[in-house]
């Protein structure tokens, strides 16, 4: 679907600029069908290159310190339909088809809580029980 | 519309957790009417508190090292309709009504370029000429 962009290539000409933000750029995943914002994760050049090459969203997990192939445990992968970059080429927007629940808490989006005067309020419905999905505590 | 959340309050109970990510959290602005992702910027506790208090999006500009009241130069402000946090309470999603162009380049969204095999391709139409909007080089 898309070619692989070398991290050495001039950023604004070809893709994200991994010389910025210490090589770790925020990547927003948005449902291509509904427009719902699903999650924000991080990509380094390697995660981005694999995403482009495979058409599946691959992030860099800051907590685990390694590539995180979204859905590798849960099966809840993201098929990438479109990749956009922002004006500074230091934020990535993935328009994806989400398999199952985007959030490891079992919700369709990680943004399932609204800030209200009375605290956080859950505004989404759980799709799956996380305990049936994950072998480990969380993705 | 929303109450002010102290940065000292327990994060997951009341709002974003500014103890994470060195106190600077990514904030995604999404058009509340169309679902279009407009931009990603950064918020510290002070920017967040002012956003909640005023109902206008206020970010922390990393390049200028100070609060950035979106639209302060351009007039292209964002009226905040809803604030959501993600599962880790370290990313903020603002659902906003955007006045004018979200992007300082004059496009409705900062994500106006798609990654293609032939490089970046502009996929949005400019709303305004930036040179007529900004006194300084860029917002």
């Amino acid at each position: 679907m898309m070619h692989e962009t070398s991290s050495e290539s001039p950023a604004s000409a070809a893709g994200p600029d991994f010389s910025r933000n210490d090589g770790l750029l925020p990547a927003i995943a948005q449902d291509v069908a509904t427009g719902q914002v699903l999650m924000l994760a991080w990509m380094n050049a390697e995660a981005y290159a694999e995403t482009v090459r495979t058409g599946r969203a691959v992030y860099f997990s800051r907590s685990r310190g390694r590539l995180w192939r979204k859905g590798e445990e849960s099966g809840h992968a993201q098929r990438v339909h479109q990749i956009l970059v922002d004006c500074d080429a230091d934020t990535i927007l993935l328009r994806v088809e989400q398999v199952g629940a985007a959030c490891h808490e079992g919700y369709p989006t990680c943004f399932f809580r609204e800030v209200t005067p009375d605290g956080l309020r859950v505004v989404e419905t759980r799709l799956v029980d996380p305990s049936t999905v994950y072998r480990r505590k969380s993705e």
Side-chain angles (χ1 to χ4, degrees), chain A:
Chain A
M1 169 176 42
M2 293 157 289
H3 75 149
E4 185 169 342
T5 302
S6 161
S7 59
E8 282 82 43
S9 64
S12 53
D17 182 356
F18 287 101
S19 75
R20 298 178 70 117
N21 215 46
D22 296 328
L24 208 55
L25 303 184
I28 304 162
Q30 180 184 32
D31 188 295
V32 67
T34 67
Q36 187 169 42
V37 175
L38 301 174
M39 55 181 281
L40 180 137
W42 302 85
M43 281 188 174
N44 60 6
E46 188 184 359
Y48 175 76
E50 185 171 318
T51 297
V52 170
R53 190 173 67 245
T54 64
R56 299 292 181 109
V58 179
Y59 302 102
F60 181 82
S61 168
R62 298 187 301 173
S63 59
R64 294 185 250 173
R66 65 165 175 84
L67 289 190
W68 163 36
R69 293 166 182 89
K70 173 68 178 161
E72 63 191 12
E73 291 181 48
S74 63
H76 295 165
Q78 294 173 337
R79 298 187 192 102
V80 178
H81 285 243
Q82 188 182 31
I83 302 179
L84 299 117
V85 295
D86 75 348
C87 42
D88 295 327
D90 62 1
T91 301
I92 299 162
L93 175 60
L94 303 176
R95 293 172 59 83
V96 306
E97 180 187 349
Q98 174 69 55
V99 179
C103 183
H104 74 284
E105 298 274 5
Y107 293 93
T109 168
C110 292
F111 298 96
F112 59 87
R113 295 176 301 175
E114 178 185 10
V115 177
T116 81
D118 303 317
L120 295 180
R121 188 170 69 94
V122 172
V123 292
E124 296 286 337
T125 304
R126 236 178 194 145
L127 292 180
V128 295
D129 177 351
S131 69
T132 67
V133 174
Y134 296 96
R135 294 183 296 272
R136 290 200 302 229
K137 192 180 168 199
S138 74
E139 183 168 272

